[in-house]
Amino acid sequence: DPKPRLDNAAKLNHNRTWHRLPQLLVKFMSQDRELASRVMDVAKEWENHAGLQIVMVPFDSKRDAQIRVQFSAKNMCAIGTDAEDIPDYKPTMHLNVARDTHPVLFRRRVLHQFGHALGLYHEFLKLPSEVEWD
């Protein structure tokens, strides 16, 4: 499997990264430990690029987590440290994966949403003004 690339497909917003933390804590708002474990296996690929460790906090732990994942019918995520503005009882990431999601799609969705959680946004959101549209 190819590793995620930080190229023209995504841009880093340095003001929203977790650069001050050695670890990014992730809590799943579901008791499906098998699915959470599979998500973490993929999400940890970002450790090779992000300069921090991605650590899962147990579901029943009182410990706070910067990223709180809810399995959902949609995919959306707070960009980086914007997650700090979301109350602790609410998810910062909605992730549309299930045990039967095709492995390629599963990996793509997890890497994409965790990229947002790390502070990456879509390149097309910052197009130069001189682009001429047809």
Side-chain angles (χ1 to χ4, degrees):
D1 287 338
K3 297 289 183 199
R5 295 183 344 229
L6 300 180
D7 57 13
N8 290 336
K11 295 294 180 186
L12 186 64
N13 186 331
H14 293 284
N15 295 330
R16 293 181 179 173
T17 63
W18 301 97
H19 62 274
R20 69 188 186 281
L21 299 178
Q23 295 182 329
L24 186 63
L25 302 180
V26 178
K27 184 183 277 190
F28 291 84
M29 302 178 87
S30 162
Q31 294 187 32
D32 189 338
R33 291 187 178 140
E34 179 184 332
L35 185 55
S37 179
R38 285 185 56 208
V39 169
M40 288 300 295
D41 287 345
V42 175
K44 285 181 142 311
E45 291 182 36
W46 279 111
E47 291 179 340
N48 298 322
H49 308 282
L52 53 72
Q53 185 181 20
I54 301 172
V55 178
M56 184 167 71
V57 175
F59 169 80
D60 55 358
S61 172
K62 299 293 184 204
R63 190 172 181 190
D64 289 336
Q66 292 91 1
I67 306 303
R68 296 174 301 280
V69 180
Q70 181 169 327
F71 298 117
S72 171
K74 59 186 173 184
N75 288 299
M76 57 188 282
C77 185
I79 305 295
T81 56
D82 284 355
E84 294 176 317
D85 297 331
I86 298 173
D88 291 343
Y89 62 91
K90 291 187 175 183
T92 62
M93 178 189 298
H94 294 269
L95 188 58
N96 183 5
V97 295
R99 291 180 183 205
D100 63 348
T101 302
H102 188 280
V104 172
L105 183 58
F106 187 97
R107 182 172 180 271
R108 181 184 318 140
R109 286 179 178 169
V110 171
L111 290 176
H112 184 101
Q113 295 308 315
F114 272 86
H116 289 315
L118 291 168
L120 295 170
Y121 60 91
H122 298 124
E123 180 183 42
F124 63 81
L125 295 176
K126 297 289 184 183
L127 288 173
S129 59
E130 64 272 4
V131 171
E132 293 184 26
W133 299 96
D134 292 337

